[in-house]
Amino acid sequence: MEITNIYRTEYGRCVATLVRLLGDINLAEEAVQDAFATALEKWETPPPNPGAWIVTTARNRAIDRLRRESTREARHAQALLLHQQDEPQEVGPVQDDQLRLIFTCCHPALAPDARTALTLRLLGGLEVPEIARAYLVPEATIAQRIVRAKKKIRDATIPYRVPAAHELPDRLPPVLTVLYLMFNEGYTATTGSLIRVDLCAEAIRLARELVALMPDEPEALGLLALLLLIEARRPARLSPAGELVLLPDQDRSLWNRARIAEGHDLVRRCLRRNQPGPYQIQAAINAVHTDGAATDWIQILALYDQLLALLPTPIVVLNRAVAVAEVHGPAAALAELAEVELPGYHLLPATRADLLARLGRDTDAAAAYDQAIALAGNETERAFLQSRRAGLDPHPR
Amino acid sequence: MKQYLLAVHSVEGAPTRSDADTQIAYGRVAQINSDLQAAGAWVFGGGLLPADSTTVVRVENGKTTMTDGPFAETKEQLGGFWVIQCADLDQALAWAEKCAEACMEAVEVRPFQEEPDS
């Protein structure tokens, strides 16, 4: 049992360090798996620093294995290890190694789908079937994405290094995107039931690592704050019967106080830095949502105005319209949405439907709900939309 | 050192570039060529004549056939290329960015196979 937890927390760190020591992802994974197999045999109780034990054992196992093999990778890895002979014998996971590896996994030269799968596999230590279950795609698809990505890293020589400061504006966003998508997929699963806790927890863990590694990157702080503030409200998001509960109707006593306090603290740290970015502003919006008994919609609308200036996307226009409805009324919000197009996205017709219903235009609202229901892939959300539609006046004036 | 092909892709039938733009592109490419040489990254490079100047040679069962025209009838054709050497993909991509800007076309970066071991 204990070793399972150690595997979860240490796998990614150990693989990252072994990738540096061996210069090859497959060799690093094999060595770490060997070391965990040895741990299962030898540990009666885990050593005080299990990560260091695993890395040292993995390195020694790799040296033994490489001596027996003569492939190109083996010889290259042997040469790398020879250069490191002056390193102390007991080596532990090094934080910078993880940072190097996450930038490799999220390299823009890799396909976006492959970036997430590879990050979950190498840094999250998730097995292929777990990743496949999380994204509801066949295991073979995930396995192939990972194999192809690892092959490209090796064939094209994608380096293991943290990008230089001048490269970060291009290279940090894909990393943040991968973590945000991972969390979102866990929070509002695109198909099936609503929430997959594992993906959320993993995204928060990795975002936390990223902040520990880059404490001066305000957008990394903003992303962690955003994830914590959304996650804090999860216990109130579903009723005991499993129905979706909207923010104004949520039982706030169910919210996770510790996460909210941590999220608010991070948002204040971002504000002091005064280099606003999209994740920080979204975190600030969620900080307002989790502050006090009633929502300060005027402040939220002001934050959305700021977000729209930085990120003029239809999704932001849609989310901002919800705040416009609260401040200026549903008719004004509906006008904001007149030109918006988001093909296939159920929340656009769902928002229109809600605004139309509030204006008493029940026939139009019903039609919009029908569109939203047809597009919603997630059962919980579909059930919610159906109950909303059923609540409309059956005989509108 | 790794070697990478930086292939310039031009789209057949795209509007022809003005003479002024062509002169600008030539000037920038010449600058990049000397930058590549100064950095020790240069292996080879050059521009190609349009695809209609192509001849395809095939040998099947000892019989040689020659046909006019490019190998693949696609809209995108190879317009020119560089072969460069550098430490890793990030360095190759940084050169490719400069090359794409200079010649005002998309540049495809492709690693060479390692030479077989002796």
Side-chain angles (χ1 to χ4, degrees):
Chain A
M1 181 59 217
E2 198 166 7
I3 197 163
T4 314
N5 287 335
I6 292 171
Y7 185 87
R8 257 293 152 79
T9 52
E10 298 294 334
Y11 181 86
R13 299 177 196 188
C14 295
V15 166
T17 294
L18 265 293
V19 167
R20 171 172 56 84
L21 293 174
L22 301 172
D24 184 87
I25 291 174
N26 285 330
L27 290 176
E29 285 187 289
E30 277 169 25
V32 171
Q33 279 154 16
D34 270 4
F36 271 104
T38 310
L40 264 180
E41 284 168 26
K42 291 202 170 165
W43 287 359
E44 283 169 15
T45 52
N49 188 345
W53 191 97
I54 294 290
V55 168
T56 305
T57 309
R59 193 179 69 149
N60 294 340
R61 281 308 184 91
I63 291 171
D64 289 346
R65 187 192 284 249
L66 293 172
R67 287 204 178 114
R68 293 194 302 270
E69 289 180 17
S70 60
T71 60
R72 178 196 302 278
E73 288 74 32
R75 270 173 293 142
H76 178 66
Q78 258 182 319
L80 260 182
L81 281 169
L82 272 177
H83 285 298
Q84 294 152 356
Q85 281 307 315
D86 47 347
E87 276 200 29
Q89 272 307 298
E90 165 94 359
V91 283
V94 176
Q95 277 208 326
D96 276 1
D97 292 337
Q98 277 177 279
L99 193 57
R100 269 190 271 275
L101 190 56
I102 199 170
F103 275 103
T104 305
C105 289
C106 301
H107 198 283
L110 300 174
D113 283 347
R115 293 175 205 163
T116 322
L118 197 60
T119 305
L120 283 170
R121 176 74 202 100
L122 293 183
L123 288 140
L126 267 65
E127 303 291 341
V128 167
E130 292 178 280
I131 302 169
R133 248 196 328 275
Y135 286 91
L136 293 174
V137 296
E139 283 179 29
T141 307
I142 294 289
Q144 197 192 14
R145 278 179 197 163
I146 292 176
V147 166
R148 282 193 56 195
K150 288 201 281 199
K151 190 168 182 309
K152 180 157 188 192
I153 289 171
R154 194 170 61 184
D155 288 350
T157 317
I158 294 179
Y160 306 112
R161 63 179 183 84
V162 177
H166 74 273
E167 296 168 300
L168 277 181
D170 287 335
R171 298 290 307 278
L172 186 60
V175 174
L176 299 176
T177 304
V178 160
L179 298 185
Y180 186 56
L181 288 178
M182 194 187 291
F183 180 88
N184 264 342
E185 186 57 35
Y187 196 73
T188 309
T190 42
T191 44
S193 63
L194 187 66
I195 297 165
R196 287 191 216 114
V197 181
D198 257 15
L199 281 180
C200 295
E202 198 47 41
I204 288 179
R205 190 184 74 78
L206 290 172
R208 218 183 263 293
E209 298 271 350
L210 195 65
V211 165
L213 299 165
M214 316 186 92
D216 294 320
E217 276 305 323
E219 278 293 90
L221 292 176
L223 176 69
L224 177 60
L226 174 63
L227 302 189
L228 287 167
L229 291 170
I230 299 174
E231 175 71 8
R233 304 198 302 262
R234 187 169 51 77
R237 192 153 167 259
L238 291 181
S239 73
E243 295 150 336
L244 193 64
V245 183
L246 290 190
L247 191 63
D249 308 321
Q250 287 180 4
D251 175 358
R252 296 186 171 212
S253 70
L254 295 175
W255 289 356
N256 183 317
R257 289 285 132 202
R259 289 209 173 97
I260 288 176
E262 191 187 354
H264 281 209
D265 187 50
L266 286 165
V267 168
R268 279 190 291 271
R269 266 168 75 186
C270 290
L271 286 174
R272 278 200 297 274
R273 285 173 187 273
N274 197 23
Q275 301 167 41
Y279 288 113
Q280 296 173 76
I281 297 172
Q282 290 176 80
I285 289 168
N286 279 276
V288 177
H289 275 309
T290 47
D291 192 28
T295 307
D296 181 349
W297 284 106
I298 290 175
Q299 203 185 346
I300 287 187
L301 184 56
L303 287 165
Y304 269 119
D305 289 343
Q306 208 184 344
L307 184 60
L308 191 63
L310 281 177
L311 205 67
T313 66
I315 292 271
V316 176
V317 174
L318 172 62
N319 292 334
R320 183 178 167 277
V322 175
V324 170
E326 297 301 325
V327 177
H328 301 299
L334 208 52
E336 296 276 346
L337 293 180
E339 305 279 303
V340 177
E341 281 180 36
L342 280 164
Y345 189 55
H346 65 286
L347 288 182
L348 177 59
T351 306
R352 277 204 180 112
D354 179 59
L355 296 170
L356 289 163
R358 282 155 76 175
L359 289 168
R361 292 167 56 184
D362 282 18
T363 312
D364 295 337
Y369 273 126
D370 286 340
Q371 277 178 33
I373 291 162
L375 292 173
N378 167 308
E379 285 153 29
T380 313
E381 290 195 299
R382 197 159 42 230
F384 172 81
L385 293 167
Q386 275 157 350
S387 79
R388 279 292 168 120
R389 191 194 185 287
L392 294 172
D393 184 347
H395 304 291
R397 284 147 288 162
Chain B
M1 279 290 189
K2 281 287 288 188
Q3 292 198 338
Y4 296 88
L5 172 72
L6 310 189
V8 181
H9 281 265
S10 2
V11 179
E12 296 275 298
T16 24
R17 198 179 282 165
S18 73
D19 285 350
D21 278 353
T22 306
Q23 285 312 312
I24 292 171
Y26 278 154
R28 288 183 186 163
V29 166
Q31 181 61 48
I32 281 187
N33 290 348
S34 63
D35 290 350
L36 280 163
Q37 279 157 14
W42 170 270
V43 178
F44 186 72
L48 297 172
L49 285 170
D52 58 13
S53 61
T54 306
T55 310
V56 179
V57 179
R58 284 185 181 82
V59 181
E60 279 163 15
N61 303 325
K63 189 175 177 299
T64 304
T65 51
M66 295 183 193
T67 44
D68 172 43
F71 176 74
E73 292 290 339
T74 57
K75 278 185 78 178
E76 288 89 31
Q77 293 290 347
L78 188 64
F81 64 90
W82 285 268
V83 177
I84 64 164
Q85 57 185 9
C86 52
D88 58 43
L89 184 68
D90 280 356
Q91 290 183 8
L93 293 175
W95 283 114
E97 194 180 345
K98 293 194 179 97
C99 293
E101 198 184 3
C103 60
M104 304 177 223
E105 302 275 12
V107 170
E108 187 179 271
V109 179
R110 197 156 159 191
F112 274 79
Q113 274 184 353
E114 305 253 332
E115 304 228 343
D117 282 352
S118 47

